[in-house]
């Protein structure tokens, strides 16, 4: 097998599929998050199997083949990272709310215990 | 009607006893809440000892991890909200000994008589002597935020970064739900001004900090300036809220 962009994307796609499936299987990645990564893997496989898609996209956008690949890759990375940041912000808010609730409840329990003793 | 003095404390074991002692002269309608923000020193133990010895209700809420000043202060507002209508005013008061407890009554009186939702203790309205007005570089930053807030909301303030402030129910009930996480003072002041809550200032004396570490250190100053400015600009882009009773 010669090493070229198409084959690399094919190998990358298979690798991404296996990695995603493994992490979901060991419950370290939620199915919900896995969907985005499975889509990335599918896209990589698809462009590896059908390189003419990228070629046509490159021609349409007046970019060279490597530039078009880079553009697609950067778009994917950007979108994924952005939504991970959004998700982290949400998680942070939940964590803060839970932490505050825990501390307030702890104070309340301590006060009730003290009142019961008295 | 009772009032709550909220003291956010992070690694303030040294300054906390003195700060609480200075609050001893407050009238009996004031209760104190120390919010230990996941301190790594013995702030929690010191606070609990102070609560056990206190003649007035002194509550201690301990966040299990360090969450930052905004979350600590908001925990105080949430504590007040959980108490129903027991508290009228909530006063934010630093644990490091910078704030003068004598001025708490003045802040509350300003809120009461001028119908303010937020009264900020300003160190620039009256000169109480050297050391009370922060460093030169900080004063530049404070002036910048005062101008920015004035430009964006048409409300004139002199000390938008002051953490010595008194909030009425309309302000603290909203902040119990949503409050900026870090460096919250200018942003929360801007929110009140923009959403037509009544904002004012009263002259207060401030001292050099008695212990602990400032949350605004040199390396973080740039982040602080950029973050707070962006937060104010973003908030300006949001739809106005309608807190109950706010001017139309």
């Amino acid at each position: 097998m010669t090493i070229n962009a198409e084959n690399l994307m094919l190998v990358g796609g298979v690798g991404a599929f296996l990695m995603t499936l493994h992490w979901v299987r060991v419950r370290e990645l939620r199915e919900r998050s896995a969907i985005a990564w499975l889509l990335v893997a599918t896209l990589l496989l698809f462009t590896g199997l059908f390189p003419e898609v990228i070629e046509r996209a490159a021609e349409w956008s007046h970019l060279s083949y490597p530039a078009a690949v880079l553009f697609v890759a950067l778009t994917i990375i950007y979108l994924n990272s952005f939504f991970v940041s959004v998700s982290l912000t949400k998680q942070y808010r939940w964590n803060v709310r839970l932490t505050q609730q825990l501390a307030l409840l702890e104070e309340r329990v301590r006060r009730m215990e003290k009142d019961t003793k008295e | 009607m009772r009032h709550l003095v909220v003291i956010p404390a992070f690694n303030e074991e040294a300054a906390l006893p003195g700060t609480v002692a200075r609050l001893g002269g407050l009238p009996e309608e004031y209760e104190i809440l120390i919010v230990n923000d996941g301190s790594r020193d013995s702030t929690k133990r010191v606070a609990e000892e102070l609560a056990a010895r206190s003649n007035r209700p002194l509550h201690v809420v301990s966040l299990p991890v360090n969450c930052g000043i905004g979350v600590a202060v908001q925990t105080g507002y949430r504590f007040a909200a959980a108490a129903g209508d027991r508290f009228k005013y909530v006063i934010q008061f630093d644990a490091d000994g910078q704030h003068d407890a004598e001025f708490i009554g003045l802040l509350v009186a300003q809120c009461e008589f001028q119908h303010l939702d937020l009264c900020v203790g300003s160190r620039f309205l009256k000169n109480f002597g050297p050391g009370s007005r922060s460093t030169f570089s900080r004063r530049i930053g404070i002036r910048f935020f005062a101008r920015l807030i004035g430009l964006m909301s048409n409300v004139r303030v002199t000390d938008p970064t002051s953490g010595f402030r008194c909030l009425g129910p309309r302000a603290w009930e909203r902040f119990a739900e949503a409050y900026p996480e870090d460096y919250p003072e200018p942003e929360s002041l801007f929110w009140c001004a923009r959403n037509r809550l009544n904002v004012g200032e009263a002259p207060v004396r401030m001292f050099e900090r008695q212990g602990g570490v400032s949350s605004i250190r040199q390396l973080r100053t740039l982040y602080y300036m950029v973050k707070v400015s962006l937060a104010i600009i973003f908030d300006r882009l949001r739809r106005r809220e309608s807190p109950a009773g706010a001017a139309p």
Side-chain angles (χ1 to χ4, degrees):
Chain A
M1 192 169 105
T2 52
I3 296 177
N4 56 28
E6 291 88 347
N7 287 337
L8 277 177
M9 278 198 282
L10 203 62
V11 172
V14 172
F17 249 120
L18 292 177
M19 200 169 77
T20 310
L21 291 177
H22 171 73
W23 284 80
V24 174
R25 203 176 67 84
V26 295
R27 299 183 200 283
E28 301 254 336
L29 183 67
R30 291 162 70 211
E31 287 82 354
R32 198 177 148 168
S33 314
I35 291 171
W37 292 111
L38 286 174
L39 278 174
V40 172
T42 310
L43 194 71
L44 278 171
L45 271 178
F46 188 75
T47 47
L49 288 170
F50 307 102
E52 61 272 15
V53 176
I54 288 271
E55 277 162 22
R56 245 180 251 163
E59 202 179 306
W60 174 78
S61 56
H62 304 289
L63 293 169
S64 64
Y65 183 86
V69 170
L70 191 69
F71 185 75
V72 170
L74 285 178
T75 306
I76 292 167
I77 291 166
Y78 172 81
L79 286 175
N80 260 309
S81 307
F82 186 83
F83 286 108
V84 165
S85 295
V86 171
S87 174
L88 280 176
T89 304
K90 237 190 252 177
Q91 297 284 345
Y92 175 80
R93 288 227 178 95
W94 290 340
N95 281 341
V96 162
R97 191 46 67 96
L98 286 172
T99 307
Q100 289 176 320
Q101 200 64 22
L102 174 76
L104 290 167
L105 285 172
E106 193 183 55
E107 190 274 337
R108 209 168 146 191
V109 168
R110 222 173 19 213
R111 200 164 4 120
M112 287 165 83
E113 280 175 348
K114 196 179 152 200
D115 290 348
T116 314
K117 272 183 200 163
E118 284 167 3
Chain B
M1 190 57 82
R2 304 185 73 78
H3 311 306
L4 182 69
V5 179
V6 175
I7 307 176
F10 174 62
N11 292 346
E12 297 285 3
E13 60 178 10
L16 201 53
T19 302
V20 171
R22 278 190 288 277
L23 292 167
L26 287 173
E28 63 173 23
E29 66 260 30
Y30 286 86
E31 294 186 24
I32 299 169
L33 169 69
I34 298 170
V35 182
N36 168 39
D37 185 14
S39 299
R40 286 186 287 271
D41 65 1
S42 55
T43 298
K44 184 180 178 186
R45 184 181 53 76
V46 169
E48 283 169 355
E49 282 171 8
L50 289 167
R53 288 202 305 265
S54 177
N55 293 326
R56 74 172 72 237
L58 195 161
H59 316 275
V60 180
V61 169
S62 264
L63 295 167
V65 288
N66 177 237
C67 296
I69 177 74
V71 174
V73 172
Q74 189 192 33
T75 306
Y77 300 141
R78 289 174 60 78
F79 179 91
D85 52 7
R86 181 150 138 225
F87 299 112
K88 185 168 187 189
Y89 292 109
V90 176
I91 299 100
Q92 186 187 328
F93 193 81
D94 279 4
D96 58 15
Q98 280 194 93
H99 298 161
D100 189 339
E102 276 180 30
F103 290 85
I104 289 178
L106 175 69
L107 292 179
V108 171
Q110 290 277 91
C111 280
E112 194 71 33
F113 297 120
Q114 293 186 21
H115 305 290
L116 298 179
D117 297 295
L118 170 65
C119 183
V120 178
S122 168
R123 63 206 116 166
F124 303 114
L125 288 177
K126 196 174 170 187
N127 195 348
F128 288 98
S132 62
R133 294 185 148 196
S134 197
T135 59
F136 176 72
S137 57
R138 287 234 179 133
R139 285 204 300 275
I140 292 175
I142 291 167
R143 194 169 287 187
F144 168 77
F145 286 128
R147 286 265 165 91
L148 183 66
I149 289 170
L151 196 73
M152 304 284 243
S153 69
N154 285 327
V155 169
R156 278 175 57 85
V157 285
T158 59
D159 200 355
T161 64
S162 167
F164 191 12
R165 41 182 58 196
C166 174
L167 292 90
R170 285 192 305 188
W172 64 255
E173 278 170 12
R174 193 275 179 181
F175 290 150
E177 291 306 312
Y179 195 65
E181 292 141 17
D182 46 2
Y183 315 121
E185 287 82 12
E187 200 182 330
S188 56
L189 168 61
F190 176 71
W191 183 89
C192 286
R194 191 168 169 261
N195 289 287
R196 300 193 179 103
L197 293 186
N198 299 321
V199 175
E201 283 185 319
V204 294
R205 177 172 47 214
M206 288 199 194
F207 305 116
E208 297 286 332
R209 54 186 305 117
Q210 307 295 302
V213 180
S214 168
S215 61
I216 307 166
R217 277 154 287 180
Q218 281 177 338
L219 286 174
R220 305 200 76 188
T221 306
L222 184 66
Y223 166 72
Y224 170 68
M225 298 296 290
V226 173
K227 189 261 166 189
V228 175
S229 304
L230 272 179
I232 290 172
I233 292 165
F234 280 135
D235 197 50
R236 182 71 182 80
L237 298 174
R238 289 188 185 116
R239 226 174 250 249
R240 263 206 188 106
E241 292 178 38
S242 309

